[in-house]
Amino acid sequence: KALGPRTLWVDCDVLQADGGTRCASVTGAWTALALALRRLRQRGSLVRDPLQDAVAAVSAGIVDGRAVLDLAYDEDSRAEVDLNLVATGSGRLVEVQATGERATFSTGELEAMNGMALRGIARLCELQRAAVAAG
C-alpha cells in the first residue's frame, strides 16, 4: 500500500559471471531500490518508506575442508560444498541453496556455513544502509 499505484522492476544483468556475482547483484539491487524509493519520498511521491528490511546475499562453502565466506572464483571452482544464502537484515531467510559439489556435508557443516553467511549478510546490510544514507 505504501507504494501506491506503482510497480518497481529491478533487473540485474550479469555481464561477466564470476564467483559471487549473483550474490553481489542481489545485494546491489536492494541498495539501488532503496535509493530510488528515497528519491520518491524526497519528491513527495511516497508518504513513507515501503521497504520493511534490507536484503543481501552471500556465497559460502567448504574449501579444502574449511568453511569459507564470499568465495572467489578459484575457491568456488574447487569447493567441496557450495552455499548461496539470501536473507534480510534481521536474519530472516529468503533463499538457501546448498550443494555438495565434490562431497557430502553434515548438518553441523551446514549450520556453520549458515551462521557465517548470516553474519556476512548482517555486515552487508550495515554497509547498504550506510550507502543509502550517504547517497
Side-chain angles (χ1 to χ4, degrees):
K1 290 182 180 181
L3 265 180
R6 293 174 186 81
T7 300
L8 300 175
W9 291 87
V10 180
D11 184 28
C12 301
D13 293 327
V14 177
L15 301 178
Q16 183 176 348
D18 197 339
T21 318
R22 185 175 80 80
C23 295
S25 68
V26 168
T27 303
W30 183 90
T31 307
L33 176 62
L35 287 167
L37 291 170
R38 186 182 73 179
R39 181 169 288 163
L40 286 173
R41 287 191 317 277
Q42 288 170 339
R43 290 181 184 163
S45 299
L46 293 177
V47 177
R48 65 178 177 86
D49 189 353
L51 292 177
Q52 297 177 6
D53 203 347
V55 173
V58 295
S59 64
I62 298 176
V63 181
D64 299 328
R66 64 182 181 86
V68 179
L69 181 66
D70 192 24
L71 281 67
Y73 177 77
D74 66 313
E75 294 169 320
D76 187 55
S77 64
R78 60 189 171 84
E80 294 102 61
V81 179
D82 182 32
L83 174 124
N84 292 302
L85 191 123
V86 183
T88 66
S90 60
R92 303 278 302 164
L93 301 176
V94 175
E95 177 182 342
V96 179
Q97 181 270 319
T99 305
E101 299 286 348
R102 291 182 163 62
T104 60
F105 55 101
S106 69
T107 55
E109 289 169 318
L110 178 60
E111 289 171 6
M113 289 184 293
N114 187 60
M116 180 185 302
L118 287 172
R119 287 188 299 279
I121 285 174
R123 178 66 180 132
L124 286 172
C125 289
E126 290 173 12
L127 294 168
Q128 286 173 315
R129 289 182 183 111
V132 170

